[in-house]
Amino acid sequence: MEYKTQMEAARKGILTEQIKKVAEKEGMDPQKLLVLVAEGRVAIPANKNHPGLEPEGVGEGLRTKINVNLGISRDCRDFEFEIEKARKAIEMGAEAIMDLSSYGKTREFRRKLVGMSKAMIGTVPMYDVIGHLDKDLGQISVQELLDVVRVHAEDGVDFMTIHAGINRKTAERLKNNGRLTNIVSRGGSLIYAWMELTGNENPFYEYFDDLLEVCREYDVTISLGDACRPGSIHDATDACQIEELITLGELTKRAWAKDVQVMIEGPGHMAINEIQANMVLQKRLCHNAPFYVLGPLVTDIAPGYDHITSAIGGAIAAASGADFLCYVTPAEHLRLPDLEDMKEGIVAVKIAAHAADIAKGIKGAREQDYQMSLARKNLDWEGMFKLAIDEEKPRKYRKSSIPEIEDSCTMCGKMCAVRTMNKIMCGERPTFE
């Protein structure tokens, strides 16, 4: 039986190799996963032109996945450095990489990235439009915008962020209500500017069915971008954000009608007390489609530490229903991240994702924590290092301050509570001299 997309296959009762592999990774009954994919509650982004992909599922009942952003820009054009970052991200367990390249030989870079990556690859075609076409934004035609989407699909991209929800009605809402930080989405701002310059409707909204035909042809998952995501906690949960979300829900149903898989993108910057309600609202308005969030950053006053503000919000968001977390690095709002920034961002988002999986009761999530606690009880330092999210940093700390006795650390020494209890529980007399 023939099929074009993972969703179409699932609706026909076909267990694809991708569904089987994801079910095995997640410890889920393949038939249960098939139902979730058929209903759109799980997406398996898997472009038919990405042969080296190790498929992952995003959505209900699955482990929270993480994404790493990278790419070349006018100020940072080093292909090999960005490819090195991609290799490191994959080594550290990132399930997805988004190529946000916006300048130069973007197609050459994108093809190289798809060719070397077992992780799913995402892009934002709107970022590529100006560099790829080498034209002024206002001079770019609708057909040229759609053609760039097809190019990305042909190159093997597994999911694309398309800012289809910011139509002229939402744009008018933004003008009438005002915002402290306006539109902070790069793709969203470009679409808004294009509409203002040309006087036309958002082409990704007006010609959404044409986009769906491209996505269906290559089995590209459409990640509906939130152009009106809040760029400050002041703007969170405002009329613009909610109106766009309603539109994204309508577009989700249209995509599913064509067997195209969907993810919904979310905030952004948001106070802690608003996060859970936003997750519930998104799931309701967008029919339980997988939710992909940037952060949310829970305060605006920590430049240089936004991997922490993001991890706090990400953990709460994922525990409340978000399925996919985009990492944020210490360099957010300041510069393109280097390797060390990227590593700090990945560790922070992995902590958030794992903490959320424990809260959600994801199968097997607590097992690593149990093993870590066992290693700590046994004062098994090597075991602790191997179980850590980041093995390198704890080894470095341990090596930098050697204790007098091996079964302790330099904070407590012979007064280590674990050491004392181990000895007492075994009938030995602890010594503190």
Side-chain angles (χ1 to χ4, degrees), residues 338-390:
D338 61 20
L339 270 172
E340 189 58 32
D341 295 328
M342 187 189 76
K343 180 180 174 182
E344 290 291 315
I346 291 174
V347 170
V349 76
K350 286 187 76 173
I351 292 169
H354 182 68
D357 287 348
I358 292 171
K360 287 191 284 192
I362 297 297
K363 185 176 180 180
R366 286 178 174 264
E367 180 58 27
Q368 191 170 345
D369 295 76
Y370 179 86
Q371 295 299 328
M372 175 64 84
S373 296
L374 190 61
R376 282 181 171 147
K377 174 188 174 183
N378 295 330
L379 296 169
D380 175 7
W381 299 100
E382 188 62 28
M384 289 183 241
F385 298 150
K386 289 182 177 178
L387 287 162
I389 282 179
D390 173 21

Side-chain angles (χ1 to χ4, degrees), residues 27-42:
M28 179 179 282
D29 178 356
Q31 290 297 331
K32 179 179 179 181
L33 180 59
L34 184 141
V35 170
L36 292 171
V37 174
E39 294 179 352
R41 289 184 286 167
V42 166

